[in-house]
Structure formats: structure tokens, C-alpha cells
Amino acid sequence: MSSASCMFSEEQFQCSICLDVFTDPVTIPCGHNFCKNCLTTHWDVNEQCECPLCKRIFQTRPELHVNTFISEMASQFRHSAVKKTSSCLVRRSSSSGEVMCDVCSETKLKALKSCLTCLASYCDTHLEFHQKMTGLTKHELIDPVENLKDRICKIHDRPLEMFCKTDQRCVCISCTELEHKLHCIVPLIEQHEGKTAELRETVADIQKMVEVRNMKIQEMKQSVKLSREDADQERSDSVQVFTALIRSVKKVLAQLLDLIEEKHKKTEKKAEGFIKELEEEISELIKRGDEVEQLLLTEDHLQFLQNFPFLSPASPTKDWTEVRVHSSYEGTVRSAVAQIEEAVREEVRKQLESELERVQQFAVDVTFDPETANPSLSVSNDKKRVSIGTRQDLPDNPERFSQNLCVFGKESLSAGKFYFEVQVEDKTRWELGVAPGSINRKDGITPNQHTGPWILALRKGNEYTALNCPGTLSLKSKPQKVGVFVDYGENLISFYDVDTATLIYSFTGCNFTDKLFPIFGPCNNSSGDNSAPLIITPVNQKHKIDQ
């Protein structure tokens, strides 16, 4: 029965629901078999009883009984499979063990050497006998190994002790004299030493690569840590700023409500005075009206005339037509909003100053690269000033701009952040920004929003434009010094008016794939009003905005 079970496959004893060997198999009326628990759970979940395989629907749930025959077959199959797996594990364990003596007949002893001629391994006792046998003393002995037949040439039955570099295979002495006679042949040990040296270099290279990557991991972890610290600080600062603004708004609102209430109370008090005065006049008028009516009822002429002089004084003569009671709230809310606006403007000013100070922390000491300067540009000896000048006879090296009046900065950026400042005072035209190092320097430059260069420019003395972007920029004041900030990781380039700490313009969503270089263009002086140089100035990180 055990041998018969081996003829069956696992699929024949597999439940189609759990995909495992049957446990308590049951047979339903359509003839299909399932684990009892699997089928019961399946029917409990679904609204109707149907076969999971053929989808036959049963009006009433069939009574389930374990199929003992299939259960026994599944049990035997499971037992056979476990036994087979254990046997494989035993053989695998034996194959990875020590090399045993091939001569020992009963208890196998550990082999000390293997003979490449005899193709056998020997323990201490049999090795001694082998070495004393006449004709066997010259056999080549090696440390004990398995599969000795794989070390013998299948064509000439001789040890594989040479290596053919031409065919990249192990060969015997006979092979070197016949099939591989004209090939490059070296001893196995020599080839082994050469390949071992290569592998050691490979291991060293791998270790270096692992070390570099581990350092990069640590760098990234440190970056994440710093990012978290920056985020926490930014969050704290944001809460502080907006809390102050909210507090300021609440204060202004409270003052506004108090002012409105105060105005209302003044109006109310004024109205109460007028009402009191009117009520007194009404009382006098009623009193005089009563007296006049009484006098009118007197028919005695003498008595009428005698009492007439004693009437109450004449009626009040105050004209109430133009008297109004109202409050003027016009401008009250506007004044309060202006107060809030001023507070917000002040906070914005502080934030702009703070932002500029933060980017100034990434200041780089930039210098002009004369090897890239257009021949019509003059670069100072300290490489900090560039202006238009007389065209020079300079070598047309690949790095030099030929058509555009431009010069690159010497310093480049391929990661991280980068900031520098340039004085543009007294100029009517200039160009300033960053460009990829691979830019074509022999033809005209066409700026591109995504691939660069990214340039801010002044035209006609007062027209500021971000090249290749529509329209002109509206600036409140004319920058005398421009700060340029690049965040390579965020694909961001920003330009600042340093004196007012105002953001002029930002290029976002740029595509940085190359080293970036500062690029400067003092522009021509054909009109005679643009002779001032562009000057790279030191960054003052303690800069404060003029009030």
C-alpha cells in the first residue's frame, strides 16, 4: 500500500479550497471532495450551498460524513511525503560531511588524502599502506576531496593539472600536447593564484562599494534627522508666528468692539438728553393746552380777559427739524483692518528677513572663470568683477562663450544648496542666474524653464524678466544687489533683492541632471549707460532690512 501511494501525486489528495492535503475529507452529492472544515466554512460564508468546483446548487445543505477511504489514502500520502523529505535531508546532510576512506570495509574512517591516480581516498592506516606499495609512491596525493572522477580527463584518463586560457577550461598533460597544443597553457596553481588575486580585488572593491553605500545610508539618515529637526523648528516658528498674529487680530477685534460700544453709548446718552428735553417740552405744551381749553370755555367776557394774562408762558420755540441722533461707524472696521494689515506686513517683513538669513547660510565664495568668458568681457585680477570691454584675442577653447556676452562662475553645484550675491548697481541691463555645465557655449543661448539656463534679466533700465517666462516682473524698488539661491534637491532657483530681503522670482520644477554653474552677463554698452561692472560681493549673513 505504501508503494502504491507513491504512484499518486499531491494534486489528487489536495483540497481545492485550502490547496493542502485533505483533512477529514467529505464527498458531496456531485462527487467532489473537500476538507470538512473548509467546505463548512465556505457554505457558512455564502448565502447558498453550491459546489466550489462545478457550482451545482443544493436546495438543502447535504449532511457531511468523512470519506474514510480517501482519509486513509491522504494520511498515507502525507506520511510518505514526510518520510521522503526526511530521507532527502539525511542524504543532503551526509553529502556535506567529511570525506571517508574508500578502502575501509566496516566502520568508515576519516580520509587523510585522496589519490588522483587511484581515484580513491585513504585513511591514516590505508594511506601508509598505499605509500609503501611499489609503483604507488609517485602517485599525486591531495587533501581529501569528493568526486575524484571529476578531476580526471575523460578523454585521456589523466589528472586535470593544467589550465587552457584560450578555451578557459581545465586540461591534462595529454590535452596540452594534442588538442590544445597551440593554446596558452598554464599550471592550475598559477591560474588559481591569478584568479584568487582578481577575486581579492573584487572583494576589496565590493567592500569599498559597501562602505560607500553604508556611508551614504548614514548620510541620508543624518539628512532625515536634520530634516526632522528643521521641520520641528519650522513648525514651532510657524505656531509662534501665527499665534502672535491671532493674538494681534483678537486684540484689534476687542479694541474695535470696545470702540463701537463706546460710540453707541455716546449716541445713546445724547439721545437720552434729547428725549428728556422733548418730554419736558411736551409736558409744558400739554399744560398750556389745558389752560387754553379752560379759558376758551369761559363765557364771561370780563373774567376771560382778566385770566388771559395768567396763561402759561408761550409754547417752546426750539426747532427740532434738523436735530438727529446717529452714530458714524464709517471707517471703523477699515481702520482696524489696516491695523491688522500693518501687523501682518511687519510679520511678513520679519519672515522675509529670516528667509534671506537662512539661505545666506549656504553662501559660497564664487569667482569668475576667465577660461569661459566671452572675448569681449574683461575679468578683474581678483576674479570678482566683470564688465564689457575691448574684444581680446583669446584662444577659442571649448569652455569659452563665443556669441553670448557671458562668463561662468568657477564653482559648481551637483547636490545640496548654493548661494551667492552680485552687485548690479548703476547698470541698465544685466543677466544673472545658473546654467548646466553641458550648455552649448558656441551658439546663442535659448533659456528653457525645465532644462535651463535659468536667468533673471534687466532690460531698458527698469524691465525685469525671468527669461523664457511670459511678462515682466513688478518690483517695488530697483535692486542694487541680487542674491541667487539654488536648492539642487528641490529643483529650485530663487532670486532676492538683498537690500529689502524681497523675493524677486523663483524657478520651480526645474530638471537638474548636470552640474550647475553660476552664469553672469553684464550685457553690451552700445548706448553708453551700461559700463558698470557686475561685482560678486561677500555675503553678510547678519544683514538687516532698513526700516
Side-chain angles (χ1 to χ4, degrees), residues 462-496:
N462 58 4
E463 293 183 2
Y464 295 90
T465 60
L467 295 189
N468 206 42
C469 295
T472 58
L473 305 177
S474 177
L475 305 184
K476 292 183 178 180
S477 61
K478 184 175 182 178
Q480 303 300 305
K481 186 184 294 184
V482 176
V484 183
F485 173 68
V486 182
D487 188 333
Y488 201 98
E490 293 295 329
N491 296 313
L492 170 72
I493 302 171
S494 296
F495 298 86
Y496 294 87

Side-chain angles (χ1 to χ4, degrees), residues 179-232:
E179 296 93 340
H180 300 267
K181 184 176 182 179
L182 301 178
H183 294 179
C184 180
I185 306 296
V186 295
L188 281 181
I189 187 171
E190 181 180 329
Q191 182 69 10
H192 174 266
E193 290 175 352
K195 291 299 181 182
T196 301
E198 289 181 12
L199 290 179
R200 287 197 181 97
E201 291 181 1
T202 301
V203 169
D205 291 341
I206 290 174
Q207 290 175 343
K208 287 181 181 179
M209 293 171 67
V210 170
E211 184 178 350
V212 169
R213 282 155 178 75
N214 280 329
M215 290 177 62
K216 180 57 68 173
I217 289 174
Q218 296 304 317
E219 177 186 327
M220 290 182 175
K221 287 183 178 179
Q222 182 64 17
S223 297
V224 170
K225 180 182 177 182
L226 293 176
S227 176
R228 168 51 58 196
E229 293 175 356
D230 291 343
D232 291 342

Side-chain angles (χ1 to χ4, degrees), residues 88 99 186 205 212 228 233 289 337 391 436 445 516 532:
C88 292
V99 178
V186 295
D205 291 341
V212 169
R228 168 51 58 196
Q233 184 61 46
V337 171
R391 188 173 182 84
I445 297 176
L516 299 180

Side-chain angles (χ1 to χ4, degrees), residues 383-394:
K383 301 176 184 177
K384 292 290 186 178
R385 294 168 174 258
V386 62
S387 58
I388 192 73
T390 304
R391 188 173 182 84
Q392 307 168 72
D393 185 15
L394 298 174

Side-chain angles (χ1 to χ4, degrees), residues 351-364 417-421 482-487 492-498 501-503 506 539-541 543:
Q351 292 304 312
L352 287 173
E353 178 181 346
S354 176
E355 178 181 340
L356 181 59
E357 289 180 352
R358 282 199 300 271
V359 300
Q360 284 177 333
Q361 296 175 7
F362 302 97
V364 175
K417 300 174 183 179
F418 190 102
Y419 178 83
F420 61 94
E421 293 178 354
V482 176
V484 183
F485 173 68
V486 182
D487 188 333
L492 170 72
I493 302 171
S494 296
F495 298 86
Y496 294 87
D497 181 339
V498 176
T502 304
L503 176 64
S506 287
V539 176
N540 179 12
Q541 298 183 10
H543 167 79

Side-chain angles (χ1 to χ4, degrees), residues 323-478:
V323 177
R324 298 285 187 274
V325 177
H326 63 83
S327 295
S328 176
Y329 298 103
E330 289 79 4
T332 305
V333 176
R334 184 176 65 251
S335 176
V337 171
Q339 199 173 344
I340 295 173
E341 184 180 9
E342 180 60 30
V344 172
R345 187 182 295 111
E346 175 63 18
E347 191 57 50
V348 169
R349 185 191 67 79
K350 291 180 181 178
Q351 292 304 312
L352 287 173
E353 178 181 346
S354 176
E355 178 181 340
L356 181 59
E357 289 180 352
R358 282 199 300 271
V359 300
Q360 284 177 333
Q361 296 175 7
F362 302 97
V364 175
D365 185 16
V366 174
T367 56
F368 295 119
D369 183 0
E371 297 299 318
T372 67
N374 182 286
S376 296
L377 297 183
S378 175
V379 178
S380 63
N381 292 333
D382 63 359
K383 301 176 184 177
K384 292 290 186 178
R385 294 168 174 258
V386 62
S387 58
I388 192 73
T390 304
R391 188 173 182 84
Q392 307 168 72
D393 185 15
L394 298 174
D396 189 20
N397 52 290
E399 296 81 14
R400 192 177 304 283
F401 286 97
S402 297
Q403 291 193 20
N404 292 85
L405 296 175
C406 297
V407 59
F408 261 174
K410 187 74 174 178
E411 293 67 29
S412 64
L413 174 71
S414 57
K417 300 174 183 179
F418 190 102
Y419 178 83
F420 61 94
E421 293 178 354
V422 181
Q423 181 177 310
V424 295
E425 188 176 3
D426 297 330
K427 293 192 67 62
T428 58
R429 290 176 299 283
W430 50 259
E431 294 177 352
L432 181 62
V434 294
S438 58
I439 190 173
N440 187 340
R441 309 181 194 188
K442 301 305 177 183
D443 299 328
I445 297 176
T446 303
N448 184 288
Q449 170 73 15
H450 300 291
T451 60
W454 300 272
I455 295 175
L456 182 72
L458 170 64
R459 299 282 187 266
K460 301 179 181 178
N462 58 4
E463 293 183 2
Y464 295 90
T465 60
L467 295 189
N468 206 42
C469 295
T472 58
L473 305 177
S474 177
L475 305 184
K476 292 183 178 180
S477 61
K478 184 175 182 178

